[in-house]
Amino acid sequence: MAKRTNGPPRRKSSNVPGQALGYSLQFTRLTHLLLISPEGSFGSFEVLDDVAVEEPDGQLQFVQSKSALTANPLTDHSVALWKTLANWTETLTANGYDPSKLRLVLYVSRPADGGVARRFAEAKTLEAAATAIAAAKKQLYSDHLRNRDPLGELELHWARFFGAKSEISAAVVCAFEVQCGSGSPQTDIEKEIAARFVPPEKVHLVADHACGWVKRRVD
């Protein structure tokens, strides 16, 4: 049997807790969305996106969920933000979804903000979206040239997003939304349940049951 060498045990990578939280958050977010979606809606997990909901009238909501445990995914130079936007341009290009029935939601588990993300979320016409995209491109590349920061992975996602057909990237921005939780996804679910369904003394029990039921169905 192998023996442990002297000294304290080695810690796992510091990235692991954040990655685990981000993944488990998707179950919690799906549970929350099922609570607030119209009757007859279908939810999915890692099929159309991290989480997705299809409503009876054909409305589709794609959700990318971010835990934001150690970083803000909405900053202008966030890899998470630009990877998400670039992936959505490729999704629309490949699948031809009706943009008028599509919501593309970047959900962050705690309050967060970013200039480009905010301006994109506010652009609700194709013209406004095109203007916001052009301004973002000019700003971001100007920031890069001024600061001489290495782009790395970010450059790949910028190329995918800004290089997409203009009507596709504009449609993505028109459908783009930012939603932020309180910092406690479980508390947010409990507030929703308390407002809609059950008395205060049963809220915690029902929330646990709902989250467990969704996890089992997904499995």
Side-chain angles (χ1 to χ4, degrees), residues 59 92 96-103 126 167-168 171-172 174-175:
Q59 293 286 330
L92 262 66
Y97 293 110
D98 181 354
S100 68
K101 292 191 173 184
L102 190 61
R103 297 172 61 192
L126 291 175
E167 62 269 25
I168 295 292
V172 166
C174 283

Side-chain angles (χ1 to χ4, degrees), residues 9-68:
R10 290 180 297 175
R11 294 174 59 88
K12 284 189 175 182
S13 167
S14 60
N15 292 329
V16 171
Q19 292 170 351
L21 176 60
Y23 196 67
S24 67
L25 174 64
Q26 294 172 205
F27 293 101
T28 310
R29 191 60 192 160
L30 178 56
T31 306
H32 196 145
L33 289 172
L34 289 172
L35 287 170
I36 64 177
S37 295
E39 185 175 355
S41 298
F42 288 89
S44 63
F45 179 93
E46 293 289 358
V47 178
L48 302 175
D49 212 315
D50 282 0
V51 172
V53 174
E54 182 178 2
E55 298 180 4
D57 63 358
Q59 293 286 330
L60 276 173
Q61 182 177 173
F62 291 178
V63 180
Q64 279 279 314
S65 59
K66 308 298 179 185
S67 65

Side-chain angles (χ1 to χ4, degrees), residues 89-137:
T89 62
E90 293 181 353
T91 296
L92 262 66
T93 299
N95 296 284
Y97 293 110
D98 181 354
S100 68
K101 292 191 173 184
L102 190 61
R103 297 172 61 192
L104 301 174
V105 179
L106 184 55
Y107 167 78
V108 185
S109 61
R110 63 173 176 83
D113 190 27
V116 170
R118 188 185 333 112
R119 290 192 292 273
F120 279 11
E122 292 170 352
K124 294 305 177 187
T125 66
L126 291 175
E127 293 78 9
T131 299
I133 291 169
K137 184 177 181 180

